[in-house]
Amino acid sequence: MRSKITFRVTLVVALVLAVQQAADGVSVHYLFDEEALPAFSNWWGLLLLPAMTWIALGRVCAGYDGEAFVRDAIGALLFGGALAFVYEHGRLDIFEFLGEGLLLLTLAYPIYRAGCVVGFVFGAAYAFGPVVPVLAACALAPAAYLGHHGVRMLWSLHRAPRQEPPKAQGQQTQQNMQGALRSAK
């Protein structure tokens, strides 16, 4: 299954690149949309997207089944597509709002999982090419992991019931003996 899906992704990426080449030529995308920074060609997608798919499908295991992977991938694909759509239409206010919402989402949902990363990269690749979303995912996934688990850990420490320290062995034995003497009377 892993090989078939990776092959299909490779085929789709190659088809998209062939259409781009036939139309206007393959697009390039600049980091932070600044022409002074390096440009990345969409040809990198022929290497990055199948490799990312192969690695992500290898992460599907007993604790993270295929159904959860697909659900995460579809949700992140829609989110990445929404980011690409609002960016392409010049709505940077909505783009920033969605980005800030993504940070809040890390507190409630594990967006660092493989399905979310793959879906986000595929959705955002439309507007940003494949390299920029992969770089963003490489930075956001570890931060999302730390945010998700770190906040939960701090919350569980805060919510943990306060326990009295255990009494010394001598004090406990003396109290037990006194209680036994009182009950014997």
Side-chain angles (χ1 to χ4, degrees):
M1 176 174 114
R2 187 175 173 190
S3 298
K4 287 180 184 178
I5 293 174
T6 304
F7 176 73
R8 289 178 184 154
V9 166
T10 306
L11 195 62
V12 168
V13 171
L15 185 63
V16 168
L17 289 171
V19 169
Q20 282 184 356
Q21 183 66 32
D24 300 333
V26 176
S27 302
V28 295
H29 301 274
Y30 296 95
L31 204 57
F32 302 116
D33 205 21
E34 294 284 332
E35 292 189 15
L37 294 174
F40 298 104
S41 172
N42 279 359
W43 285 108
W44 280 103
L46 203 52
L47 176 68
L48 284 175
L49 297 178
M52 177 176 264
T53 303
W54 177 266
I55 292 168
L57 288 174
R59 301 285 305 153
V60 176
C61 57
Y64 185 53
D65 61 356
E67 183 178 316
F69 180 87
V70 170
R71 184 185 64 238
D72 288 348
I74 290 173
L77 179 74
L78 293 174
F79 185 83
L83 278 175
F85 180 80
V86 298
Y87 183 81
E88 285 289 313
H89 287 85
R91 295 299 310 263
L92 296 181
D93 55 334
I94 298 174
F95 182 81
E96 290 175 6
F97 177 75
L98 288 173
E100 292 166 0
L102 184 65
L103 294 176
L104 289 176
L105 185 62
T106 63
L107 303 177
Y109 194 77
I111 63 169
Y112 57 85
R113 296 195 297 191
C116 292
V117 171
V118 168
F120 172 76
V121 169
F122 276 82
Y126 163 74
F128 307 109
V131 176
V132 175
V134 167
L135 292 175
C138 287
L140 290 176
Y145 181 85
L146 290 175
H148 185 74
H149 289 292
V151 168
R152 287 174 172 253
M153 183 186 71
L154 291 174
W155 182 255
S156 68
L157 290 175
H158 174 71
R159 299 288 296 166
R162 307 271 187 225
Q163 296 181 357
E164 293 182 24
K167 296 180 181 180
Q169 187 68 22
Q171 289 176 344
Q172 214 170 22
T173 306
Q174 185 180 14
Q175 288 176 351
N176 288 345
M177 289 178 72
Q178 288 173 354
L181 288 174
R182 275 188 233 139
S183 63
K185 288 184 185 179

